[in-house]
Amino acid sequence: MVALCMIALLTVLAIVVDLGSTRAIRSGTRSAADSGSTAGAVALAEAANSVAACEDAFAYTFKLLGDSEPSSASISTACSSFSGPCDAAVARPATLPVGSVTVTVTNPVPDDNPLMKATSLGTGLPQTINAPTDGLPCDRVGVEINRPQASVFRGIVGGGSNSFTVHSVALRTSKPGKGEITPALVALNQSACKAIDSGNGLIYVMGNAKGPGIAYSDSDGPSCSSTNPIISGGSAGQVCAQSSSAVGQIGWYQAPISRAYNTSTSVYSNADATCGTPRLNSYRYVGQLAARTERLTRKPIDKVYRCSSVNDEGGQPVCAEADDPVKFLEDLSNSSTSAKPAGFTVHDDCSTSAGITFSVDTWVNCPSFSVRGGIVSITNGATVIFNGSLSVEAGGDLQVNAGTAVGVDEDGDSVPVPLDATKQTKIIINSTAANAFSIQSS
């Protein structure tokens, strides 16, 4: 009886130990998949293409598995197929076996991909796609791990070793939030074609020390096509988002590439870029081209330029009205329609051909102020309020914080040189006329 009981007790002990081992190794493997996919999604938000996301996903996953790690050359080779543009309908898996462990990184992850199913006891359980939460396929990075299941006592009772598979999918986030760079250009129309259109000219959104150039359209272009897209580089133009700390971004809302930008005759580059350099002349689009999972709306722009009208996470205005740059100008405009603001000099000569310089805060009290042939120059960081319309015509010139010195930009065109780049000039035009600010001069 003792011998029989000992067999039963040892069998139970074996089951308990093996179950504990199973739970421990699968939990650690799940954590590695979670961390690897998250690392890939973070890299995807910052990189020019999916290669960096693939490489980071592999590196973090193998590191956290604690087994043998692949060489950087092996990772680069496995991820080489991720360099092209993302096709949301076609999954790109990259598989890398090391020893007895095999890791697969996938981007994009289409809605019908097995990685979008839940796992329970090793089987795939369907789950409904939630668009706001799950995002778009090109924004997803999936990591799948196949690993042997070690056993301590299973062999004693006749069981053999086997393997198991776990997977995780993480989403690149592009939601506005703390630390996100404010886009230089946002087109708010939610359905327009050519919402951003360079025609035969150039649209450059420049990067700076805080981040890259960013241009977004909130349009999903339901009636748009590759020849009449949401983002148009025109027939001979260019839309360029300059790189700085990261590659510049050109985005739209949800629509597929076939409606987003012209792919039939246009050439694009996802590489680091400085807008205006000769090497970009053959490209119609420059910057990371990608659909966004939600519309941007005015809010992130208003946080910077209309900060008193936007509440923070605690429900309080982002800034006081006194610190709101646009609110300050609106108040100044409203108060100056009937009388000059305090501290402003009055100017009531309503036309000039000889030219004039405004170097102090000035209230131009004219229903229409016109510049004919001469130069109106605003210097010294002055604020000038035209209490009516402003017309520059017949060879006239308007110079703001610029003198007679002329420089050359990256395209070889002549451009004014700032008199003092540390000062900012403000012009307010108090008019609702159709041509309140009219430049008819070359």
Side-chain angles (χ1 to χ4, degrees), residues 185-230:
L185 173 62
V186 180
L188 296 178
N189 189 297
Q190 297 189 357
S191 60
C193 302
K194 294 187 177 180
I196 297 176
D197 181 11
S198 66
N200 292 327
L202 307 169
I203 295 178
Y204 288 169
V205 286
M206 313 300 287
N208 57 28
K210 294 183 178 181
I214 299 175
Y216 287 148
S217 167
D218 274 350
S219 174
D220 59 358
S223 62
C224 301
S225 64
S226 63
T227 57
N228 187 34
I230 298 168

Side-chain angles (χ1 to χ4, degrees), residues 202-208 238 240-243 272-281 286 406-417:
L202 307 169
I203 295 178
Y204 288 169
V205 286
M206 313 300 287
N208 57 28
Q238 184 181 90
C240 177
Q242 181 167 304
S243 305
D272 285 356
T274 299
C275 296
T277 57
R279 69 185 179 91
L280 300 178
N281 288 344
V286 183
V406 175
V408 179
D409 68 7
E410 294 164 324
D411 289 327
D413 296 326
S414 297
V415 293
V417 176

Side-chain angles (χ1 to χ4, degrees), residues 8 34 41 124 126 157 216 226 262 267 273 282 325 345 409:
D34 289 344
V157 293
Y216 287 148
S226 63
N262 188 332
V267 182
S282 61
T345 298
D409 68 7

Side-chain angles (χ1 to χ4, degrees), residues 74-412:
S74 298
I75 292 177
S76 296
T77 299
C79 295
S80 60
S81 62
F82 281 52
S83 59
C86 176
D87 183 346
V90 181
R92 289 180 298 187
T95 301
L96 190 56
V98 177
S100 58
V101 177
T102 299
V103 175
T104 300
V105 176
T106 302
N107 169 262
V109 183
D111 292 349
D112 58 355
N113 192 278
L115 294 177
M116 295 303 290
K117 295 181 179 180
T119 56
S120 176
L121 300 178
T123 61
L125 299 178
Q127 55 184 7
T128 303
I129 299 296
N130 183 301
T133 303
D134 294 329
L136 298 175
C138 288
D139 293 333
R140 302 169 187 157
V141 177
V143 171
E144 183 176 75
I145 304 172
N146 182 272
R147 193 178 193 185
Q149 174 64 59
S151 61
V152 180
F153 293 107
R154 185 180 299 141
I156 298 175
V157 293
S161 62
N162 61 1
S163 62
F164 66 93
T165 300
V166 298
H167 69 254
S168 290
V169 176
L171 176 68
R172 170 181 68 176
T173 178
S174 58
K175 294 181 178 179
K178 293 182 178 178
E180 181 165 330
I181 304 303
T182 304
L185 173 62
V186 180
L188 296 178
N189 189 297
Q190 297 189 357
S191 60
C193 302
K194 294 187 177 180
I196 297 176
D197 181 11
S198 66
N200 292 327
L202 307 169
I203 295 178
Y204 288 169
V205 286
M206 313 300 287
N208 57 28
K210 294 183 178 181
I214 299 175
Y216 287 148
S217 167
D218 274 350
S219 174
D220 59 358
S223 62
C224 301
S225 64
S226 63
T227 57
N228 187 34
I230 298 168
I231 311 290
S232 174
S235 58
Q238 184 181 90
V239 181
C240 177
Q242 181 167 304
S243 305
S244 56
S245 57
V247 174
Q249 300 173 38
I250 302 173
W252 59 93
Y253 175 62
Q254 284 193 340
I257 289 175
S258 59
R259 301 204 308 262
Y261 58 93
N262 188 332
T263 57
S264 58
T265 59
S266 299
V267 182
Y268 57 87
S269 169
N270 282 329
D272 285 356
T274 299
C275 296
T277 57
R279 69 185 179 91
L280 300 178
N281 288 344
S282 61
Y283 295 123
R284 195 72 55 80
Y285 306 95
V286 183
Q288 184 179 12
L289 292 154
R292 295 174 53 79
T293 57
E294 62 182 349
R295 289 190 168 100
L296 193 69
T297 71
R298 286 185 55 116
K299 190 169 183 180
I301 307 298
D302 284 347
K303 278 188 175 180
V304 177
Y305 298 107
R306 292 292 304 268
C307 49
S308 67
S309 67
V310 179
N311 291 338
D312 59 20
E313 289 78 1
Q316 300 299 314
V318 174
C319 70
E321 288 190 357
D323 299 322
D324 187 321
V326 173
K327 185 68 168 64
F328 167 78
L329 292 176
E330 286 180 341
D331 290 346
L332 189 57
S333 174
N334 292 333
S335 66
S336 64
T337 56
S338 57
K340 79 175 187 71
F344 277 68
T345 298
V346 177
H347 181 88
D348 52 13
D349 184 355
C350 297
S351 179
T352 177
S353 58
I356 188 172
T357 296
F358 297 115
S359 58
V360 296
D361 293 348
T362 304
W363 186 56
V364 181
N365 191 25
C366 296
S368 176
F369 181 84
S370 60
V371 184
R372 294 185 177 92
I375 297 175
V376 171
S377 179
I378 303 174
T379 66
N380 203 34
T383 296
V384 178
I385 302 173
F386 293 91
N387 198 28
S389 62
L390 169 61
S391 177
V392 182
E393 55 194 70
D397 209 359
L398 172 65
Q399 294 185 355
V400 180
N401 193 21
T404 56
V406 175
V408 179
D409 68 7
E410 294 164 324
D411 289 327

